[in-house]
């Protein structure tokens, strides 16, 4: 009960800080950089906590929330979104690789199309920004709004995951590549020797995921875990860990075009990075002690709300063009 | 008792490199931003930057107004006496961690005994080249 109260308290703080930030945004000239730093630090800590409790990456919430609720330019928000998703993933990857849960063969197999398409996505983002002006901005916000609502629907209707999928017939292509590996499952005290299939379909899906991630500056765990788990039929733990490591690699490829175009400002990027990492750590601790199914619904509501705001902003911008 | 499978060395090496370099970058970034917030030698005035960010200005507009020209590439490397350039250096190092990690993993795959196959080396090398080209600014939005 107390823990549930604590979460509700966090929600209230989040709402208050967001409302305050929006109010301060109206009076831009007198804003104190230290205050800005701490507001974003707190907002991102709370995003990080909720993201972990809802079972998603912080990056997928960060970009739509920042684009929907702050006046900051979408290119800068997307660059920062990629940076925070990437830095969180880089820090989290180490134990998964040390324990062998993240399958390095699957990783390299998926990293090649994902990284290439992530870069293409980032270059496309820059192209749209440079050539389409306000219409481009409206297009990006509207498309992200629709995508975020789609992700919310995906959470509601296709949230099913299989912990240990049964693989009956491995296709000859995947068999020949030999992606399967075994790992030690601590909770079962046994070796999990699994197989995977449909590696050729996954290859195509990772191209699409990379494109979306690079273009919109989103972490792509929401798409990658289902591809690993439901298409390739890798165990859920392998899927989740591979997705985390892959975000670190793929988003690195996509972030550089944004940096080279001057899209990262440390004053905005650093507090968001610290906040999301600290929030993720706190969220992981809370998750062990509290059943937080309702937080998933809060995240879904926030995503719908952010999606609608983005679409409304897009319509307004389109009208101005 | 079953024998625990040994994780591939290339994965461990990648994880370690990426982790420690990212941590180093984050620490430098935090030091830089603390100095920046403390008002120490700012390349872009923090209050001005904030007002521009909050008024929805684009990155090129902010750079042009703040410095008189649009910056491209690793601008911070030439301005390391400024606190915001130090913070940006930290961000840059953090973003380089996966690049170094992939190089280390590729070298490990070439030299270690427990090889995981030529195909996976080629894939890893391809990703490494893409990351490197991207980090060098060869794959870039600037024409």
């Amino acid at each position: 009960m107390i823990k549930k109260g604590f979460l509700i308290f966090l929600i209230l703080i989040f709402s208050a800080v967001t409302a305050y930030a929006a109010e301060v945004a109206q009076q831009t000239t007198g804003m104190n950089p230290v205050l800005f730093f701490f507001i974003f630090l707190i907002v991102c800590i709370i995003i990080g906590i909720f993201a972990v409790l809802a079972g998603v990456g912080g990056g997928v919430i960060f970009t739509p929330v920042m684009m929907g609720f702050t006046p900051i330019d979408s290119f800068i928000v997307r660059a920062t979104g990629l940076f925070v998703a990437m830095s969180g993933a880089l820090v989290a990857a180490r134990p998964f690789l040390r324990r062998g849960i993240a399958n390095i063969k699957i990783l390299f197999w998926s990293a090649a199309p994902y990284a290439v398409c992530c870069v293409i996505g980032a270059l496309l983002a820059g192209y749209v920004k440079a050539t389409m002006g306000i219409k481009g901005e409206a297009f990006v916000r509207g498309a992200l709004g629709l995508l975020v609502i789609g992700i919310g629907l995906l959470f509601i209707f296709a949230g099913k995951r299989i912990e240990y999928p049964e693989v009956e017939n491995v296709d000859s292509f995947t068999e020949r590549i030999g992606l399967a590996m075994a790992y030690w499952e601590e909770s079962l005290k046994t070796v999990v020797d699994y197989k995977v299939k449909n590696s050729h379909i996954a290859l195509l899906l990772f191209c699409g995921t990379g494109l979306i991630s690079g273009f919109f500056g989103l972490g792509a765990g929401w798409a990658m875990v289902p591809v690993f788990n439901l298409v390739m039929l890798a165990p859920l733990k392998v899927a989740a860990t591979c997705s985390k490591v892959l975000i670190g690699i793929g988003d690195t490829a996509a972030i550089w075009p944004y940096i080279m175009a001057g899209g990262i400002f440390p004053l905005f990027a650093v507090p968001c990075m610290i906040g999301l990492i600290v929030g993720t750590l706190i969220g992981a601790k809370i998750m062990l002690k509290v059943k937080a199914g309702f937080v998933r619904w809060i995240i879904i509501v926030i995503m719908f709300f952010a999606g609608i705001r983005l679409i409304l902003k897009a319509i307004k911008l389109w009208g101005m063009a | 008792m079953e024998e625990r499978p040994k994780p591939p060395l290339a994965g461990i090496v990648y994880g370690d490199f990426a982790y420690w370099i990212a941590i180093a970058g984050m620490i430098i970034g935090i030091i830089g931003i603390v100095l920046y917030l403390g008002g120490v030698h700012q390349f872009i005035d923090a209050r001005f930057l904030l007002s521009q960010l909050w008024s929805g200005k684009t990155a090129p507009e902010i750079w042009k107004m703040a410095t008189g020209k649009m910056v491209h590439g690793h601008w911070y490397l030439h301005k390391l006496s400024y606190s915001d350039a130090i913070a940006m250096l930290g961000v840059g190092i953090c973003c380089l961690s996966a690049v170094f990690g992939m190089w280390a993993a590729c070298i490990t795959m070439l030299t270690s005994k427990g090889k995981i196959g030529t195909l996976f080396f080629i894939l890893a090398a391809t990703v490494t080249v893409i990351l490197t080209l991207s980090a060098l600014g060869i794959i870039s939005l600037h024409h």
Side-chain angles (χ1 to χ4, degrees):
Chain A
M1 192 70 188
I2 295 168
K3 283 156 193 164
K4 213 168 185 174
F6 174 66
L7 285 173
I8 292 166
F9 175 67
L10 281 181
I11 295 164
L12 289 174
I13 292 203
F14 177 68
S15 315
V17 170
T18 311
Y20 179 68
E23 196 188 312
V24 173
Q26 306 298 319
Q27 326 143 4
T28 52
T29 44
M31 197 169 178
N32 184 338
V34 179
L35 183 66
F36 174 88
F37 180 92
F38 282 107
I39 287 174
F40 275 83
L41 186 71
I42 294 168
V43 167
C44 289
I45 286 175
I46 297 169
I47 288 178
I49 293 173
F50 283 156
V52 172
L53 293 179
V56 295
V60 73
I61 305 171
F62 176 86
T63 307
V65 165
M66 291 298 162
M67 267 169 74
F69 299 100
T70 71
I72 300 173
D73 177 64
S74 76
F75 190 79
I76 298 169
V77 172
R78 284 181 283 159
T80 309
L82 270 179
F83 174 63
V84 296
M86 180 210 70
S87 45
L90 286 169
V91 173
R94 187 171 172 241
F96 305 146
L97 289 160
R98 280 199 155 265
R99 289 180 205 152
I101 305 173
N103 181 331
I104 197 166
K105 291 182 180 178
I106 294 181
L107 266 174
F108 290 150
W109 178 254
S110 43
Y114 181 71
V116 170
C117 291
C118 244
V119 174
I120 294 172
L123 293 174
L124 266 177
Y127 179 76
V128 168
K129 187 85 198 162
T131 57
M132 289 175 69
I134 295 180
K135 277 197 175 174
E137 183 77 13
F139 167 73
V140 169
R141 285 181 192 265
L144 181 63
L146 290 174
L147 179 70
V148 166
I149 291 172
I151 296 169
L153 291 172
L154 189 79
F155 286 163
I156 297 172
F157 297 111
K160 196 183 158 199
R161 303 276 188 271
I162 312 165
E163 201 156 351
Y164 296 104
E166 274 186 34
V167 183
E168 284 171 0
N169 300 312
V170 178
D171 55 282
S172 58
F173 181 72
T174 310
E175 183 90 63
R176 222 174 302 147
I177 300 167
L179 291 174
M181 275 175 74
Y183 74 95
W184 177 260
E185 177 52 61
E186 194 59 47
S187 63
L188 303 172
K189 302 279 178 211
T190 187
V191 173
V192 176
D193 201 353
Y194 59 92
K195 291 175 182 169
V196 291
K197 61 192 281 188
N198 299 330
S199 54
H200 51 299
I201 301 171
L203 206 68
L204 293 174
L205 292 171
F206 279 115
C207 287
T209 312
L211 210 60
I212 291 170
S213 179
F215 187 80
F216 290 112
L218 291 171
W222 56 273
M224 279 195 264
V225 175
V227 174
F228 284 130
N229 186 231
L230 302 177
V231 177
M232 293 182 82
L233 299 185
L236 185 56
K237 225 176 210 181
V238 175
T241 53
C242 280
S243 135
K244 204 71 177 166
V245 181
L246 193 53
I247 289 172
I249 298 173
D251 288 4
T252 296
I255 189 81
W256 283 105
Y258 282 99
I259 292 180
M260 294 294 167
I264 292 257
F265 293 94
L267 181 61
F268 181 44
V270 174
C272 296
M273 172 202 73
I274 304 168
L276 270 193
I277 291 175
V278 171
T280 307
L281 294 173
I282 296 171
K285 292 220 168 192
I286 295 175
M287 196 163 71
L288 297 173
K289 296 171 189 167
V290 68
K291 275 194 172 182
F294 74 100
V295 174
R296 189 175 173 81
W297 286 102
I298 293 170
I299 291 292
I300 289 168
V301 170
I302 290 173
M303 292 188 86
F304 277 128
F305 195 43
I308 292 164
R309 289 260 314 183
L310 282 165
I311 292 169
L312 291 175
K313 272 192 177 182
I315 294 167
K316 198 175 160 190
L317 282 169
W318 194 269
M320 282 162 63
Chain B
M1 182 138 175
E2 284 177 288
E3 199 183 327
R4 292 181 186 217
K6 251 187 160 180
L9 187 60
I12 297 173
V13 169
Y14 167 78
D16 282 358
F17 265 77
Y19 178 82
W20 287 113
I21 296 172
I23 293 286
M26 286 173 192
I27 292 169
I28 294 170
I30 292 168
I31 292 169
I33 208 72
V34 168
L35 295 172
Y36 188 56
L37 291 173
V40 178
H41 209 205
Q42 300 173 342
F43 183 54
I44 300 181
D45 179 71
R47 278 180 188 273
F48 173 78
L49 172 61
L50 205 47
S51 67
Q52 299 307 306
L53 278 175
W54 274 115
S55 55
K57 292 276 190 305
T58 63
E61 284 170 343
I62 295 174
W63 282 111
K64 276 177 196 160
M65 276 190 276
T67 66
K69 58 177 181 178
M70 176 61 201
V71 299
H72 287 286
H74 301 277
W75 62 270
Y76 47 92
L77 292 178
H78 313 288
K79 309 275 178 198
L80 284 175
S81 59
Y82 295 95
S83 53
D84 39 348
I86 295 171
M88 192 60 212
L89 174 72
V91 170
I93 291 173
C94 197
C95 295
L96 273 177
S97 58
V99 185
F100 285 120
M102 284 304 295
W103 272 108
C106 281
I107 293 165
T108 309
M109 284 166 88
L110 270 181
T111 54
S112 69
K113 282 179 187 169
K115 285 178 181 163
I116 60 167
T118 315
L119 171 69
F120 297 104
F121 172 73
I122 293 169
L123 288 170
T126 308
V127 174
T128 308
V129 169
I130 293 165
L131 295 188
T132 309
L133 292 177
S134 187
L136 288 173
I138 295 169
I139 301 174
S140 161
L141 300 172
H142 176 52
H143 303 286

